[in-house]
Amino acid sequence: MKFEIGHVLFIDIVGYSKLLIHEQLEYLEKLREIVRATETFRAAQREAKLTRLPTGDGGALVFHTSPEAPVRCAMEIARELKKHPELRVRMGVHSGPVKEVTDLSEQGNIAGAGINIAQRVMDCGDAGHILVSKRVADDLENYAQWRPLLHDLGACEVKHGISLALFNLYSDEIGNPEQPKKFRTEERKIDIVTPTAPPKSIAVLPFENLSEDKANVYFADGIHEEILTRLSRIRDLKVISRTSTQRFKNTAEQIPDIAKQLGVATILEGSVRKAGDKVRVHVQLIDAENDAHLWAERYDRQLDDIFEVESDIAGKIAEALQATLTGAERRAIAARPTKSTEAHELYLKGRYHWRNFYAPGYERVREYFEQAVALDASYAPAYNGLGLYYAWAAANAIFPPDVWPLAEEYARKSLSLDDTWPEAYNTLAAVEIYYKRNWAAAERAFQRGMELDPNFGDLHSHYGMCLAYLGRFEEAIAQTERAMQLDPFFPGTNVHYGTLLFFSRRYDRAAAQLAKTLDLYPDNPAAHEYFGNVCAKRGMPHEAITHWCSALNLNGRSEDARVLEQTFKAAGFDAAVRTLGERQLEELDARRARGEYVAAAHYVFAHIKRGNLEGALAWLPKMAEEPDWFALQMRVNPLLDPLRSDPRFEALLSQVFSKNR
């Protein structure tokens, strides 16, 4: 079976271990009879849409139908349990990633974050409780029959530091209306997390595109982002990044709930209507605590007045939140980066495609930015767009190293036109650390960018990862946690945090962070790959294989996933890893034969999997030479541990970090 989302009902008998042996057997058999007799269970079983996972004192049911199925089943079980007061049962429901695996006894089993989180949800309850995760509650909220049954318990921190928002499901007939003890007792292992949002904090929700031409969505997104960019320059404000607010586009969630998730006190909503050379922008600032309007305005302007509109909105918000602005901040939010509306529209189109760079159309990013600077040779942000296009791809070894000079040229051109543009310093830092290997210059660029824009989450995340390359893990974690506060739902930041914790060998924390990431984004292949690496280091081979197979399937390499699973089942973990390495080497050779650029690091990691350390060491000098993030991982990446005892490795490590001390 391929990786998928499972809707999980976890059940256990409270106080099971205190029962006499014959009572345990009787109670467990009675619970099984009750569960198997429910209509939801039987219907899912008939349709082959049900997987069962037995545990010592209960079990888990994984429904492959809808989020309602485990809740309906829980209610049916609860009604029948009223006839058996001796059975003290609690239940937890969650939807998340699951995958069928083969356990050590060669039996079919099921694993994944969906199972783990469902158990943690259940563990928060007492006898009679039916607790559901917020993810499930959000799905159920769409149906009128469920809303009266859902009661918010608040956010809790459970095992491994994972924070869960939980709801208690009950009615007059079923469930337990009492607050769970773990929410009430001083000795609880689970603490309620209720951080107070700073009063001067704001999230700008994605603007609604009201234009008749729906292709103008790029324009509405661009206005939204540029207002955010202006606000983020104000040090006295906490401003949530666009990538996290995008999660709430077209959402039915209420403003107070959104604000709570983002950790802000105010929300800005807006809409944009563009028709020819005219534009209408409507915005309203809302106090999230009481859902009251603090300020609202409608702007009907010519298209070439759009910068004045953005500046006015940012200024009015700062005034409403009583933020203190320096002279430099006032100039920053009032800036007009170009006088050409046509160049600006091309820039917005380039940014729109950049934000969706994994989607078709990524190659058009460069074309839009090039057209923008052709129309306005003084347009600093557009030059940085070109610099970022090349630097990001080169740093991640997607483009060959020979594009680095272009990245540097465009970044420096942007800064020569406007040395107060924060994003250009992020690009410059990439040039300095990956291409020039000059850590001191990179750190100066990071620091200057953060001075200019203290709310630029991506800059903190990038800086944190670079600190990790140098082994400065406490500083790296502090920077990344700041990035998580500013951009809590960005997949890249969440994966980077898990990666950083993996590099620092904090494997339990890395597992918790990556489980949280997959709970938010179950289809993220990078999160699955790193989770598999973490599991392998923790001595959890089944889980490692499961996550690696998920990553392979999501990356379109289903045949590799099938072979990996089959080899693991037939010959064990080490043989499976070797086979994966062999297949990866075949794929890398095929790509090179087609004329594609392939980073040397990919060969190093594939040879390590294969168990051919001499082959890995043969490629290592080229990996150390190539200007990308893989070379800088040499000091800290645990995957390279098999090579560390060889003196050739230490010599190359000194070469890579000769300037980075």
Side-chain angles (χ1 to χ4, degrees), residues 228-278:
L228 264 175
T229 299
R230 293 172 191 271
L231 285 172
S232 69
R233 303 288 291 272
I234 302 172
R235 184 170 295 277
D236 202 27
L237 294 181
K238 174 189 175 183
V239 183
I240 299 299
S241 297
R242 185 207 69 87
T243 41
S244 282
T245 59
Q246 197 71 13
R247 178 180 177 84
F248 300 98
K249 189 172 186 176
N250 301 322
T251 184
E253 292 192 60
Q254 300 300 306
I255 291 295
D257 294 333
I258 295 173
K260 185 177 180 181
Q261 293 179 61
L262 294 172
V264 295
T266 55
I267 295 285
L268 185 77
E269 291 185 312
S271 63
V272 177
R273 183 187 298 274
K274 179 176 175 287
D277 62 351
K278 296 184 183 299

Side-chain angles (χ1 to χ4, degrees), residues 34 53 90 178 334 424 458 500 514 519 533 535 634 651 657:
I34 291 171
L53 176 66
R90 60 181 179 175
E178 294 294 324
D458 196 40
L500 184 162
L514 291 166
D519 192 39
N533 295 341
C535 290
M634 285 179 61
F657 288 94

Side-chain angles (χ1 to χ4, degrees), residues 510-545:
Q513 171 57 32
L514 291 166
K516 173 186 171 184
T517 303
L518 287 171
D519 192 39
L520 292 169
Y521 304 103
D523 293 341
N524 189 297
H528 278 291
E529 182 175 353
Y530 270 101
F531 207 159
N533 295 341
V534 171
C535 290
K537 288 294 181 181
R538 296 172 83 198
M540 302 167 65
H542 290 83
E543 290 81 356
I545 295 294

